[in-house]
């Protein structure tokens, strides 16, 4: 959130002077906020020792974030075109070097 600054929103929209952010954690993955949230909640489940909760929480979060990421990336491709698709080619979505 701090790297995005005033461009951070909870809704899907792009402002006129917004650019593709490639600094900070965005140099490695395209969605570090979602990755952090997944780590926090699945880590909590692991720490509590509740493996059923881990499976349920992980499945729900991957489903919800998967939909959100697809929607965001379609918006960003539509807005920034080749600049964003080039960024997609050199970064992963949530896990560096994996996905």
């Amino acid at each position: 959130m701090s790297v995005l600054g005033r461009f951070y929103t909870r809704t899907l929209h792009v402002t006129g002077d917004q650019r593709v952010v490639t600094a900070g954690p965005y140099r490695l993955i395209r969605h570090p906020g979602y990755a952090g949230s997944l780590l926090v909640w699945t880590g909590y489940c692991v720490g509590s020792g509740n493996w059923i909760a881990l499976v349920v929480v992980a499945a729900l979060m991957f489903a919800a974030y998967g939909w959100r990421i697809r929607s965001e990336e379609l918006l960003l491709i539509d807005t920034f075109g080749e600049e964003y698709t080039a960024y997609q080619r050199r970064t992963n979505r949530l896990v560096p070097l994996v996905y």
Side-chain angles (χ1 to χ4, degrees), residues 1 12 17 20 25 31 36-37 40 47-48 52 58 70 80 82 99:
M1 289 175 6
L12 294 178
D17 60 341
V20 176
H31 303 281
S37 183
V40 166
S48 72
I52 294 170
R70 280 188 299 279
F80 299 114
E82 177 55 31
Y99 174 77

Side-chain angles (χ1 to χ4, degrees), residues 54-68:
L54 171 65
V55 171
V56 171
V57 166
L60 290 173
M61 291 186 80
F62 273 105
Y65 285 156
W67 176 85
R68 176 74 180 214

Side-chain angles (χ1 to χ4, degrees), residues 38-50:
L38 284 164
L39 284 172
V40 166
W41 289 107
T42 57
Y44 177 78
C45 293
V46 169
S48 72
N50 188 336

Side-chain angles (χ1 to χ4, degrees), residues 4-21:
L4 291 178
R6 66 185 176 94
F7 298 118
Y8 173 80
T9 65
R10 292 191 159 284
T11 59
L12 294 178
H13 75 275
V14 177
T15 62
D17 60 341
Q18 192 169 341
R19 298 288 170 250
V20 176
V21 175

Side-chain angles (χ1 to χ4, degrees), residues 75-91:
L75 172 67
L76 294 169
I77 290 167
D78 188 48
T79 303
F80 299 114
E82 177 55 31
E83 181 183 4
Y84 192 76
T85 57
Y87 174 62
Q88 284 180 304
R89 285 192 295 272
R90 67 178 185 270
T91 57

